[in-house]
C-alpha cells in the first residue's frame, strides 16, 4: 500500500536525524565517506523504517529481510541507521574509526549488530545478495533481499556476473538499488568509465528496471512496492540522487567523496541539513 | 638535488611529500624520458598519486573505472603491444582481487609490467579488513617471474621505481597510504634490487625489516645502543624476491640471532622468506618473526595497530631483549657449516 502523507512525514523526520548523525559520525571518525553516505539516506530509511521486517531485539531472526550494502564504504551512513533503528546505542557511534572500535569505515558483520554482510570491496555485495535470495528460496522462506550498489561500483565485472545469475535464477525476491549520484572518486562516472545507458544494460541482463528520484519517499515507496509485485525477475531501482545531499557545500562535489570535518565545518553542515528540513 | 645520479628529487622533497606523491612525480618524469611508459588505475588516480602521470601524459594514461581485473588484463595487453605499464591501485585489490590476472596474464607471459600498490599492510588502519592487506607479499612472492620490492620510504620508492625500469619483467612494489616518515638522510646510497641495505651496524643481534618497519627497527637499534650498549644490526630487506641470501647468512654467522619485522602477516612474507634461507643453509640460529599474527586485524589508527601487533620500535625493543636473554643451543652433533 502506498505510503501515506503521514508516513512520509515520519520518514522525512527520521532522514533528517540520520543526515545529522552521518555528519556527526564523520566528525567523530576523523573522516569518512560522507558524500555517498548522504546520497543513500532515503533508500536506507525507507527500507529499515518501513519496508524491511527486522527485529532489533533479535538481530539474527531467521525470517528477517536482508540488506547488503554493496557500496560498503557507505558504512558511515549505515551505522547511524542501525543505531536509530535500535540495534545498538547511538552513543557507540562516537567511537567510529577509533582504535579497537566495533566500527571502521567498512562495517564488519561479526561486530555490528543488524548488519547482514561485511562489505567494502566493491562489486562483492550483489553476488552475496544473490546467494541470500537463493537461500531464501531453498528454505521456503519469504524474506526479501535488498542490495544497494554505487553507480561507480557498476564498473566491476562481478556486479554483472551477479546480475546475470539473479536473472537466470529468476530471483523475484531480490531488489537492487543503484545510488545514481553520478560520481565515483576520480570524477563523474561518465568521464571515468561511462555507464549509460544504465537502464538498458540491466534490462538486457534480464532485470525489471524502475527509476525514480532517490530522495523522494513517495516515489521510492511506489517503486519498492512495485518491485514486490513483479514476479518473474529481479528488479533494480535506479535512484537518482545527489552526492553529499543536504550539505550545501558538499552537494555534487566529487572532492567530498571522502572527507573530514572540523567543528565549524560540522556546524555548517548541520545547519545546512536543518535548513533542508525547515528546522530553522 | 643530486645531479650526477640523474635524480630530480631530494631529501627535502621527501620530507615534504609522501612516498606515493614522490612515486607520482618520479613516474611523471620518467614518462618524459620514456615514451613507451603507460600508466593505469581503477578510479584511484588521486588516492594512489599515479594521476600525476596522467596530468602530464594524458594520452598515455588510462583510468578504467572501478574494475581491477579489467585493469590488469588491459595492462597485460598494453605490455603485449610493446608498452611498459605502471599500474596502481590499493594493495588488497592488486594482489587479491586481480591476483589471477597478475599471475596468469602478466607473470605467466613474463610481461614487463610494474605494479605499484598503495595502502598496503595496516597503513589504512581505520578502513578495516576489507582494505587492510597483510597477504600480498605471500601471494606475490609465489608467482614465478615476479620481483617483489618493499621500499622503506619516499627516497627508496623513487630509487626503486627508477631501478625497476632496468629490470624487464613483472615487478610488484608495495607502499603505504602516504603518512610514512622518511628513513634515509640522503638520496645517494647504493640501491640495488635484490641487495639489502645495512642501516645500522651491530654484532649482538640482527633485525631484518622492510617497508615502514625499517624506521621502527632503526629507532629501536639506536635506543638500545644508547641505553644498554646493545649492538643491533639493522638490515633493510627492501627486496623480498629475489631475497639477499648473502646478507641473511652473514647476519646469521655474525649474530646468530635474527628478528624479522614486517607490516604483513607472519605467514608467507619477509619472515617466511628469511626462515627459508636460514633453514636451507642449515644454519643454527634463533629466529623470531614479528608481524601480524594469523588474524584479521582490528580497526584502528595505524600507529596504534603497529604498537598492538608489536611491529613498532617498542615491540622490536622488547623482542630484542627477550631474544638476548636466550641461549642459542650449542649441539655437538650439529654440523653448522654444511
Ligand atoms: C574493489 C574496490 N576497488 C576500489 C575501492 C576504493 N573505492 C572506495 S569508494 C570508491 C568509489 C565508489 O563510487 P560509487 O560506487 O559511485 O559510490 P558513491 O559515489 O555512492 O560513494 C572506490 C573506488 C574499493 N572500495 N573497492
Amino acid at each position: 500500500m502506498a505510503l501515506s502523507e503521514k508516513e512520509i512525514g515520519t520518514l522525512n523526520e527520521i532522514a533528517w536525524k540520520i543526515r545529522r548523525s552521518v555528519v556527526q559520525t564523520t566528525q567523530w571518525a576523523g573522516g569518512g565517506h560522507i558524500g555517498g553516505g548522504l546520497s543513500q539516506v532515503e533508500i536506507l530509511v525507507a527500507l529499515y523504517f518501513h519496508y524491511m521486517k527486522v527485529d532489533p531485539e533479535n538481530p539474527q531472526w531467521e525470517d528477517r529481510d536482508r540488506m547488503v550494502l554493496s557500496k560498503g564504504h557507505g558504512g558511515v551512513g549505515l551505522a547511524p541507521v542501525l543505531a536509530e533503528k535500535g540495534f545498538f546505542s547511538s552513543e557507540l557511534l562516537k567511537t567510529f574509526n577509533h582504535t579497537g572500535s566495533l566500527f571502521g569505515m567498512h562495517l564488519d558483520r561479526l561486530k555490528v549488530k543488524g548488519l547482514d554482510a561485511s562489505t567494502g570491496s566493491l562489486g562483492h555485495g550483489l553476488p552475496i545478495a544473490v546467494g541470500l535470495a537463493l537461500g531464501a528460496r531453498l528454505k521456503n522462506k519469504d524474506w526479501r533481499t535488498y542490495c544497494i550498489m554505487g553507480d561507480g561500483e557498476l564498473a566491476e565485472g562481478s556486479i554483472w556476473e551477479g546480475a546475470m545469475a539473479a536473472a537466470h535464477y529468476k530471483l523475484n525476491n531480490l531488489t537492487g538499488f543503484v545510488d545514481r549520484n553520478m560520481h565515483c572518486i576520480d570524477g563523474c562516472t561518465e568521464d571515468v568509465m561511462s555507464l549509460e545507458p544504465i537502464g538498458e544494460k540491466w534490462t538486457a541482463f534480464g532485470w525489471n528496471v524502475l527509476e525514480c528520484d532517490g530522495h523522494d519517499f513517495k516515489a521510492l515507496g511506489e517503486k519498492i512496492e512495485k518491485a514486490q509485485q513483479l514476479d518473474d525477475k529481479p528488479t533494480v531501482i535506479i535512484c537518482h540522487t545527489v552526492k553529499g545531499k543536504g550539505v550545501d557545500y558538499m552537494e555534487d562535489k566529487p572532492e567530498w567523496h571522502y572527507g573530514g570535518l572540523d567543528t565549524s565545518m560540522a556546524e555548517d553542515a548541520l545547519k545546512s541539513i536543518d535548513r533542508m528540513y525547515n528546522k530553522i | 638535488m643530486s645531479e650526477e645520479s640523474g635524480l630530480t628529487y631530494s631529501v627535502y622533497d621527501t620530507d615534504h611529500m609522501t612516498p606515493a606523491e614522490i612515486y607520482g612525480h618520479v613516474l611523471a618524469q620518467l614518462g618524459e624520458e620514456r615514451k613507451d611508459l603507460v600508466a593505469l588505475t581503477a578510479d584511484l588516480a588521486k588516492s594512489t598519486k599515479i594521476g600525476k602521470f596522467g596530468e602530464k601524459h594524458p594520452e598515455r594514461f588510462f583510468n578504467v573505472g572501478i574494475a581491477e581485473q579489467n585493469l590488469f588484463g588491459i595492462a597485460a595487453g598494453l605490455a603485449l603491444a610493446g608498452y611498459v605499464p605502471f599500474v596502481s591501485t590499493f594493495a588488497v585489490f592488486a594482489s587479491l582481487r586481480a591476483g589471477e590476472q597478475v599471475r596468469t596474464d602478466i607473470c605467466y607471459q613474463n610481461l614487463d609490467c610494474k605494479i605499484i600498490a598503495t595502502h598496503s599492510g595496516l597503513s589504512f588502519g581505520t578502513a578495516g579488513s576489507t582494505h587492510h592487506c597483510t597477504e600480498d607479499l605471500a601471494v606475490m612472492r609465489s608467482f614465478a617471474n615476479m620481483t617483489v620490492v618493499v621500499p622503506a620510504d619516499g627516497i627508496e620508492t623513487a630509487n626503486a621505481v627508477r631501478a625497476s625500469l632496468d629490470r624487464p619483467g613483472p615487478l610488484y612494489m608495495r607502499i603505504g597510504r602516504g603518512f610514512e616518515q622518511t628513513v634515509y638522510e640522503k638520496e645517494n646510497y647504493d640501491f640495488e634490487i635484490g641487495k639489502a641495505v645495512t642501516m645500522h651496524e651491530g654484532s649482538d643481534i640482527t633485525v631484518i625489516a622492510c617497508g615502514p618497519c625499517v624506521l621502527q627497527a632503526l629507532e629501536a637499534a639506536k635506543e638500545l645502543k644508547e641505553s644498554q650498549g646493545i649492538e643491533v644490526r639493522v638490515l633493510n630487506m627492501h627486496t623480498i624476491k629475489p631475497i639477499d641470501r648473502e646478507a641473511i647468512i652473514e647476519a646469521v654467522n655474525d649474530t646468530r640471532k635474527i628478528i624479522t619485522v614486517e607490516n604483513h602477516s607472519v605467514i608467507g612474507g619477509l619472515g617466511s622468506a628469511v626462515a627459508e634461507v636460514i633453514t636451507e643453509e642449515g644454519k643454527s640460529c634463533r629466529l623470531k618473526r614479528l608481524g601480524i599474527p594469523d588474524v584479521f586485524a582490528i580497526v584502528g589508527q595505524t600507529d596504534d595497530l603497529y604498537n598492538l601487533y608489536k611491529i613498532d620500535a617498542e615491540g622490536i625493543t622488547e623482542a630484542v631483549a627477550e631474544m638476548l636473554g636466550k641461549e642459542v643451543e650449542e649441539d655437538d652433533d650439529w654440523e653448522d657449516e654444511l
Side-chain angles (χ1 to χ4, degrees):
Chain A
M1 215 178 56
L3 291 171
S4 67
E5 285 302 317
K6 188 161 168 253
E7 285 166 333
I8 290 173
T10 309
L11 292 177
N12 270 317
E13 198 69 10
I14 297 168
W16 167 61
K17 280 198 208 162
I18 298 297
R19 282 209 158 77
R20 292 183 58 94
S21 180
V22 174
V23 165
Q24 287 168 322
T25 306
T26 302
Q27 192 191 2
W28 293 322
H33 295 91
I34 189 161
L38 289 169
S39 61
Q40 69 193 11
V41 169
E42 280 75 16
I43 305 172
L44 285 174
V45 169
L47 289 177
Y48 280 95
F49 291 89
H50 193 86
Y51 290 104
M52 277 172 66
K53 290 179 292 177
V54 289
D55 179 5
E57 298 299 317
N58 183 9
Q60 293 303 318
W61 175 38
E62 198 188 358
D63 293 345
R64 73 190 184 280
D65 290 330
R66 309 296 204 272
M67 199 290 295
V68 179
L69 187 66
S70 197
K71 47 169 281 193
H73 57 281
V76 76
L78 174 57
V81 171
L82 298 175
E84 180 68 23
K85 186 71 188 172
F87 283 103
F88 47 81
S89 156
S90 42
E91 275 297 297
L92 281 174
L93 297 174
K94 293 186 175 160
T95 70
F96 207 97
N97 271 1
H98 298 189
T99 300
S101 171
L102 298 173
F103 309 93
M105 280 173 214
H106 308 89
L107 302 180
D108 177 346
R109 185 181 73 87
L110 300 178
K111 294 193 177 140
V112 178
K113 279 203 186 129
L115 186 72
D116 291 314
S118 304
T119 54
S121 180
L122 295 166
H124 289 220
L126 184 61
I128 294 175
V130 169
L132 279 164
L134 271 176
R137 180 185 290 169
L138 265 178
K139 285 195 156 175
N140 264 325
K141 296 280 187 186
D142 65 357
W143 81 61
R144 268 199 99 69
T145 303
Y146 297 96
C147 177
I148 305 178
M149 293 162 271
D151 48 0
E153 187 188 8
L154 300 186
E156 288 286 3
S158 51
I159 289 290
W160 300 100
E161 295 170 29
M164 203 183 293
H168 178 80
Y169 295 120
K170 301 190 170 50
L171 296 177
N172 58 352
N173 56 354
L174 173 64
T175 304
F177 296 85
V178 175
D179 183 354
R180 185 69 173 123
N181 60 30
M182 299 305 290
H183 295 287
C184 45
I185 294 185
D186 285 334
C188 172
T189 57
E190 299 316 286
D191 298 330
V192 176
M193 184 52 61
S194 40
L195 294 167
E196 293 296 346
I198 295 193
E200 285 174 37
K201 287 193 170 80
W202 285 97
T203 305
F205 271 76
W207 288 53
N208 294 310
V209 180
L210 306 174
E211 225 166 311
C212 71
D213 174 347
H215 298 303
D216 174 352
F217 281 115
K218 184 164 185 289
L220 264 175
E222 276 167 22
K223 305 299 169 189
I224 292 171
E225 291 175 27
K226 177 142 190 231
Q228 290 171 351
Q229 290 142 21
L230 294 168
D231 59 25
D232 62 336
K233 290 174 183 178
T235 298
V236 63
I237 306 173
I238 297 168
C239 302
H240 295 280
T241 57
V242 175
K243 205 155 174 171
K245 176 75 179 177
V247 179
D248 45 14
Y249 63 86
M250 292 183 192
E251 285 191 2
D252 215 23
K253 298 269 192 320
E255 55 273 30
W256 277 103
H257 171 77
Y258 175 92
L261 302 172
D262 62 23
T263 313
S264 90
M265 287 161 108
E267 271 172 21
D268 287 347
L270 293 174
K271 271 189 211 144
S272 170
I273 290 168
D274 289 349
R275 275 196 301 276
M276 172 182 172
Y277 291 94
N278 297 319
K279 298 287 180 185
I280 38 177
Chain B
M1 299 267 173
S2 47
E3 308 249 323
E4 78 268 40
S5 65
L7 299 177
T8 49
Y9 44 86
S10 66
V11 167
Y12 173 83
D13 295 330
T14 61
D15 275 345
H16 292 79
M17 282 196 268
T18 66
E21 281 169 330
I22 293 169
Y23 153 59
H25 281 285
V26 170
L27 189 62
Q29 191 205 334
L30 287 173
E32 296 285 327
E33 299 164 23
R34 293 267 308 252
K35 302 295 177 201
D36 58 342
L37 296 194
V38 292
L40 298 92
T41 188
D43 197 30
L44 292 172
K46 288 181 219 153
S47 318
T48 65
K49 311 300 176 213
I50 199 172
K52 296 268 169 252
F53 182 100
E55 286 163 20
K56 280 221 165 145
H57 315 287
E59 72 294 348
R60 281 185 276 147
F61 179 69
F62 304 95
N63 189 338
V64 304
I66 311 167
E68 295 75 15
Q69 291 163 270
N70 196 27
L71 173 71
F72 285 97
I74 294 176
L78 281 161
L80 284 170
Y83 289 94
V84 180
F86 274 76
V87 190
S88 282
T89 179
F90 294 169
V92 68
F93 308 134
S95 61
L96 300 176
R97 180 56 155 278
E100 199 205 350
Q101 273 77 8
V102 171
R103 170 192 173 272
T104 303
D105 303 350
I106 293 169
C107 292
Y108 177 41
Q109 307 195 76
N110 202 13
L111 298 177
D112 197 4
C113 176
K114 316 302 178 195
I115 302 164
I116 317 292
T118 67
H119 296 61
S120 65
L122 299 180
S123 64
F124 203 1
T126 52
S129 293
T130 56
H131 286 61
H132 295 163
C133 187
T134 57
E135 304 89 352
D136 54 336
L137 295 179
V139 171
M140 290 294 172
R141 197 163 82 79
S142 71
F143 293 172
N145 294 332
M146 185 66 110
T147 296
V148 181
V149 178
V150 187
D153 69 359
I155 281 282
E156 194 154 85
T157 303
N159 283 328
V161 167
R162 198 166 262 280
S164 73
L165 283 177
D166 299 328
R167 192 181 172 89
L171 181 141
Y172 178 79
M173 193 182 306
R174 81 175 329 226
I175 58 180
R177 188 186 181 197
F179 301 116
E180 296 75 20
Q181 292 160 288
T182 48
V183 182
Y184 286 100
E185 281 158 15
K186 53 184 190 342
E187 316 65 29
N188 280 333
Y189 65 97
D190 275 337
F191 178 86
E192 195 186 321
I193 290 177
K195 274 260 155 282
V197 182
T198 306
M199 310 296 290
H200 194 266
E201 297 287 353
S203 51
D204 292 331
I205 188 166
T206 303
V207 177
I208 305 179
C210 65
C213 298
V214 173
L215 179 66
Q216 302 300 325
L218 202 52
E219 282 179 0
K222 285 181 185 160
E223 157 62 22
L224 281 160
K225 181 168 179 154
E226 226 166 77
S227 65
Q228 304 174 52
I230 296 170
E231 304 278 349
V232 182
R233 178 179 305 179
V234 176
L235 292 183
N236 170 11
M237 193 62 75
H238 53 64
T239 308
I240 309 299
K241 183 187 166 186
I243 200 150
D244 187 344
R245 301 179 78 93
E246 265 174 44
I248 298 172
I249 297 309
E250 204 178 292
V252 173
N253 286 339
D254 293 351
T255 70
R256 296 283 154 182
K257 290 173 176 168
I258 308 278
I259 294 171
T260 60
V261 205
E262 62 199 303
N263 176 17
H264 184 276
S265 166
V266 289
I267 299 174
L270 170 69
S272 297
V274 168
E276 287 159 15
V277 172
I278 296 174
T279 338
E280 280 173 359
E281 295 285 333
K283 292 287 177 187
S284 160
C285 100
R286 267 197 183 278
L287 172 70
K288 167 102 188 149
R289 293 168 303 155
L290 297 178
I292 317 310
D294 187 17
V295 296
F296 284 102
I298 64 166
V299 160
Q301 299 296 324
T302 298
D303 290 348
D304 293 344
L305 298 183
Y306 282 13
N307 187 261
L308 176 71
Y309 296 116
K310 301 187 185 295
I311 56 173
D312 64 350
E314 194 184 316
I316 296 168
T317 305
E318 228 172 73
V320 166
E322 197 189 319
M323 190 176 279
L324 286 177
K326 287 185 179 160
E327 286 304 307
V328 177
E329 195 179 320
E330 298 285 349
D331 186 335
D332 288 344
D333 299 337
W334 180 258
E335 176 119 29
D336 183 48
E337 307 297 331
L338 285 179

